[in-house]
Amino acid sequence: MKSHNSNKTDYKKFAAILCATALPLEVQANLLEEIVVVAQKREQSAQEVGIAISTFTGEQLDRLGVDSSTDLVKVTPGLQLNQPNGRSTFSFGLRGVTQSDFSDHQESPIALYIDDVYVSQTGAAGFSTLDMERVEVLRGPQGTLFGRNSTGGLLNFITRKPEQEPSGYVKGSYGSHAQTSVELGAGTGLSDSVAARIALVGEQGDGWYENEIGDDGNEYNAYAGRLQLLVDIGENTQNLTKFFSSESENETPQYWQHTPAVLNANGQGVADPDGTDNQGYRDDSGDVNEGAWNLSGDYDAKIWGLANTLTWNSPDTGTSVTSITAYQELDKDYLADVDASPNTALHFTSNAETEQFTQEIHISGDRDNARWLVGAYYLDIDGDYTQNANVGGGGPALLYSTEITSWALFAQYEHDFTDTLTGIIGYRWTEDDYDYRFRSAIEGYPNGVTSPGIELPEPPPFVFEDNVNTGLWSARAQLNWSFADAAMLYGSWNRGIKGPGFNAPLVPPSNSDIPFDEEILNAYELGIKSEFLDGNLRLNGAIFYYDYEDFQAFQLIDGVTQVIRNRDADTVGAEFELWAAPLEGLDLMLGATYLDATVEDVEINPVLNRDTKPPMTPDWNVNGMVRYAMPSFNEGELALQADFQYLSSHFFDLANAPVVEEDSYTVVNARVEYLTADAKWTASVFVDNIFDEEYKTWAYDIAGLIGTSSASYGRPRWYGVTLQYNWE
């Protein structure tokens, strides 16, 4: 299993290899294949990496029907998506590690990268997998190789790079509710030393949320583009420059299903579907995507940025130097009718304007029986944010800003003790400087009226300012044992860290609830990578134990105050991933993750604390696929595919209130695809959520605030067709 591949990064050669995989000249029936990844900053087969990793090529993403970053949850074991504010905020979860806070400034413990550039803002985490070369999903703490450390894992999206030979594709699709998209990716050489590639996508669709008293919801328009220029500066030096931009507009981006709720003896919400909320309203539509709300809502986001990667290789010494420089801006506005009723019981607004700059440089080498890498990383995030909750005509409004400066030094060394036994050690030191300014006030209540005949002055603004500077270390120690030609056993210990931060609660409970401390994760893992039947059967698995110190646990208090508090926590888990090609044209995929997770001493009410399950952590998360491709229609290929994802019951809130528990559910999708003999034309028909399963994607317990719970649901049954043309 072990490889002594060179540490060299030749973009030209690497892009040509992977482009040939993504746009084949001949029909390829089976999807199972060896995939080259750079999960350890050098080219390796994914099966040679001692990390629990799922990876997909661009061709596989197309064949599996993955059109966006959020679609990855359909095909990746244990991967989940959190959307506490609909299209406004996206956060991924792995092995129960996730970010549930809807405040825009919080970073996720599952780091997101595009071409090795860190994306800090959750508002920028949902995007089209436009002209993608491959995606790598790494589980567990990642700090000794990647720029921004993460405790839970990372997703790295690698786009197709420019090359000298002309190639490209154009793809169009049309689906339910007039959802339409057109996508283009094309590249060619401009001279002997310069190549360029452009990628564009435009999407639009009508809404499917039916409003009985106003405009329907979720009508949207989205556009994105990317331009890359690759220059061979010399025989061993390449420079890749990328410009990217996107814009999204969405009316009523998320419909919150209205269900009256009352408090139980513990002060937690319990559904009361036969009752009414505090305003006397009950939704009688009987349809989770239909209601009556008096505010259309809106979501607008603009993102643009630049990135530059400079690489120098020394064939004589086996040394490579890489510099990655990037800048990104995000401007986002969000408005939602959270109560989803004809009344102004709870309307929520948030705005974010952020700038991010990153610089990474690392030097790597490959000599005899050792590989090594040392690097430095710098991150600067400046953000200005606002939030407002309109509760019956007025409510809390806050304005806050963050300035985060972080630098880190990291290193990893890999040594072959024998032909079958390899050891790995890694270390990272991170310095974070966090400057925070926060102001909250109650606005809009005339004369402070709280009940008939009683008038109170509005309370003075709540102001908080602080600066935190911390130095934290993370580390890795691992052994890989290649006990057979195509089988490897690995055991690892990883110390992951996530720095301290600050809350942005709409109603600040006290000064002590604004800051929270760093979390430390000691992760222990034993895993196996194996292949059988000449590579036609791949079975990977792992068992792991996560021991948290000061886990950053998010909780919504009294339906309006969002805070992160430090609690100890632990998780015991196991996962496996099976991919088999038992017959020509037949692909079988099955993945499963089991989790037993506990967060200790969680506040249920002011006088009751108890251990609970973290949000979005089902005991079981299972996904699978069956795909059969057969020769058909003038030597082309006809493929029939069905896939599913099953989640057992889980909660959306740390207090585990009954009203925010979701029962187990299964979503099934199907796809029929035809590929011409020369692989130039592809046509497909798909149906997502065949059985029209109704399942919650998020829910809030606001029974104590306005007498209801609010839940958003997944997309209903969805039909569509796609046509694509490739050229080389």
Side-chain angles (χ1 to χ4, degrees), residues 39-332:
Q40 297 193 118
K41 298 295 186 179
R42 70 176 190 277
E43 299 170 24
Q44 291 176 283
S45 166
Q47 289 298 104
E48 297 172 351
V49 180
I51 299 173
I53 178 173
S54 296
T55 184
F56 305 93
T57 66
E59 180 206 9
Q60 290 173 339
L61 295 175
D62 288 339
R63 299 291 178 266
L64 296 172
V66 175
D67 297 318
S68 68
S69 60
T70 58
D71 284 340
L72 273 180
V73 298
K74 298 190 298 185
V75 296
T76 308
L79 182 66
Q80 291 179 255
L81 177 68
N82 291 1
Q83 291 182 261
N85 275 337
R87 286 176 176 261
S88 171
T89 304
F90 300 88
S91 179
F92 290 96
L94 281 168
R95 295 177 171 176
V97 182
T98 190
Q99 161 68 331
S100 302
D101 193 347
F102 52 81
S103 299
D104 288 310
H105 69 296
Q106 304 289 13
E107 295 180 74
S108 172
I110 308 299
L112 180 68
Y113 294 82
I114 302 177
D115 291 327
D116 292 325
V117 174
Y118 175 58
V119 179
S120 64
Q121 303 297 301
T122 56
F127 51 86
S128 168
T129 49
L130 168 67
D131 202 26
M132 203 62 59
E133 188 173 275
R134 72 183 183 282
V135 179
E136 301 174 8
V137 181
L138 281 63
R139 300 172 181 84
Q142 308 293 326
T144 61
L145 285 174
F146 281 83
R148 183 64 163 164
N149 57 281
S150 60
T151 51
L154 66 86
L155 283 69
N156 193 11
F157 293 81
I158 296 105
T159 62
R160 289 181 182 140
K161 303 302 184 294
E163 59 177 351
Q164 286 293 323
E165 294 299 321
S167 66
Y169 72 96
V170 60
K171 178 169 69 173
S173 66
Y174 183 83
S176 299
H177 299 278
Q179 178 176 285
T180 307
S181 69
V182 178
E183 184 176 320
L184 167 71
T188 188
L190 303 180
S191 70
D192 291 341
S193 59
V194 179
R197 190 166 186 92
I198 189 171
L200 302 168
V201 64
E203 301 176 272
Q204 64 177 25
D206 295 338
W208 66 86
Y209 302 144
E210 297 184 20
N211 188 358
E212 298 172 355
I213 61 172
D215 294 335
D216 292 342
N218 214 18
E219 179 179 341
Y220 74 97
N221 295 278
Y223 310 93
R226 180 172 63 241
L227 176 63
Q228 298 185 84
L229 194 67
L230 179 63
V231 180
D232 289 329
I233 299 175
E235 183 179 355
N236 302 314
T237 307
Q238 294 87 33
N239 189 81
L240 179 68
T241 302
K242 178 178 69 174
F243 171 79
F244 57 93
S245 177
S246 67
E247 183 172 350
S248 300
E249 298 179 3
N250 199 180
E251 295 185 10
T252 311
Q254 187 169 25
Y255 168 58
W256 295 98
Q257 176 67 27
H258 182 106
T259 302
V262 295
L263 297 178
N264 63 15
N266 291 331
Q268 297 176 301
V270 180
D272 184 22
D274 296 326
T276 61
D277 66 12
N278 291 354
Q279 312 294 318
Y281 173 73
R282 182 178 72 242
D283 181 3
D284 292 320
S285 68
D287 187 337
V288 299
N289 291 308
E290 181 180 345
W293 59 93
N294 65 336
L295 177 71
S296 293
D298 188 45
Y299 169 65
D300 294 299
K302 298 179 179 65
I303 303 170
W304 74 271
L306 291 163
N308 191 84
T309 301
L310 177 65
T311 304
W312 173 80
N313 301 302
S314 173
D316 296 334
T317 63
T319 304
S320 176
V321 180
T322 301
S323 170
I324 305 171
T325 309
Y327 176 82
Q328 177 176 296
E329 288 189 9
L330 167 68
D331 188 353
K332 188 189 81 168

Side-chain angles (χ1 to χ4, degrees), residues 16-26 163 165-169 187 197 678-680 725-728:
I17 293 172
L18 286 165
C19 190
T21 300
L23 297 175
L25 292 175
E26 298 178 357
E163 59 177 351
E165 294 299 321
S167 66
Y169 72 96
R197 190 166 186 92
D678 59 6
K680 289 186 176 181
Y725 176 73
N726 303 324
W727 70 87
E728 287 192 2

Side-chain angles (χ1 to χ4, degrees), residues 510-580:
S510 67
N511 276 13
S512 62
D513 273 314
I514 301 295
F516 54 86
D517 294 333
E518 67 272 10
E519 70 177 18
I520 299 173
L521 169 61
N522 284 288
Y524 307 88
E525 183 168 339
L526 181 66
I528 188 171
K529 298 283 188 79
S530 61
E531 288 186 347
F532 308 93
L533 304 177
D534 295 326
N536 290 316
L537 176 62
R538 180 179 299 160
L539 178 60
N540 300 332
I543 56 175
F544 53 90
Y545 172 63
Y546 283 3
D547 183 13
Y548 275 101
E549 179 184 339
D550 290 333
F551 172 69
Q552 294 173 359
F554 170 76
Q555 190 171 2
L556 188 66
I557 300 174
D558 298 328
V560 69
T561 302
Q562 70 276 28
V563 294
I564 292 175
R565 292 169 171 166
N566 295 101
R567 296 290 185 267
D568 290 339
D570 63 77
T571 301
V572 177
E575 64 195 11
F576 78 88
E577 188 172 11
L578 172 72
W579 195 330

Side-chain angles (χ1 to χ4, degrees), residues 322-494:
T322 301
S323 170
I324 305 171
T325 309
Y327 176 82
Q328 177 176 296
E329 288 189 9
L330 167 68
D331 188 353
K332 188 189 81 168
D333 300 310
Y334 176 71
L335 172 63
D337 188 337
V338 181
D339 63 87
S341 76
N343 306 306
T344 306
L346 179 56
H347 295 169
F348 177 76
T349 304
S350 69
N351 308 93
E353 295 182 4
T354 64
E355 299 179 3
Q356 173 188 304
F357 174 80
T358 58
Q359 173 64 58
E360 178 179 346
I361 185 168
H362 59 257
I363 306 171
S364 57
D366 186 349
R367 274 294 192 181
D368 299 326
N369 60 347
R371 278 79 56 200
W372 55 270
L373 180 143
V374 295
Y377 183 75
Y378 176 80
L379 168 70
D380 184 88
I381 304 172
D382 288 340
D384 293 311
Y385 309 90
T386 63
Q387 292 183 36
N388 175 269
N390 186 348
V391 185
L398 58 90
L399 170 67
Y400 62 103
S401 63
T402 63
E403 294 181 14
I404 302 173
T405 302
S406 175
W407 64 265
L409 300 175
F410 54 92
Q412 182 164 299
Y413 178 74
E414 183 174 340
H415 185 84
D416 300 328
F417 299 111
T418 69
D419 290 340
T420 60
L421 186 64
T422 298
I424 301 173
I425 57 172
Y427 183 83
R428 176 193 184 95
W429 178 261
T430 301
E431 290 268 0
D432 284 344
D433 186 86
Y434 201 146
D435 195 24
Y436 188 70
R437 294 178 295 279
F438 176 92
R439 183 185 188 276
S440 176
I442 302 296
E443 297 180 354
Y445 292 112
N447 301 320
V449 174
T450 57
S451 64
I454 300 177
E455 292 188 2
L456 297 173
E458 293 181 4
F462 178 93
V463 179
F464 179 91
E465 294 187 10
D466 198 4
N467 176 270
V468 173
N469 186 281
T470 58
L472 299 170
W473 63 274
S474 55
R476 178 187 186 193
Q478 181 168 326
L479 284 175
N480 297 339
W481 176 38
S482 300
F483 61 91
D485 288 340
M488 178 179 70
L489 188 69
Y490 67 89
S492 66
W493 163 75
N494 279 278

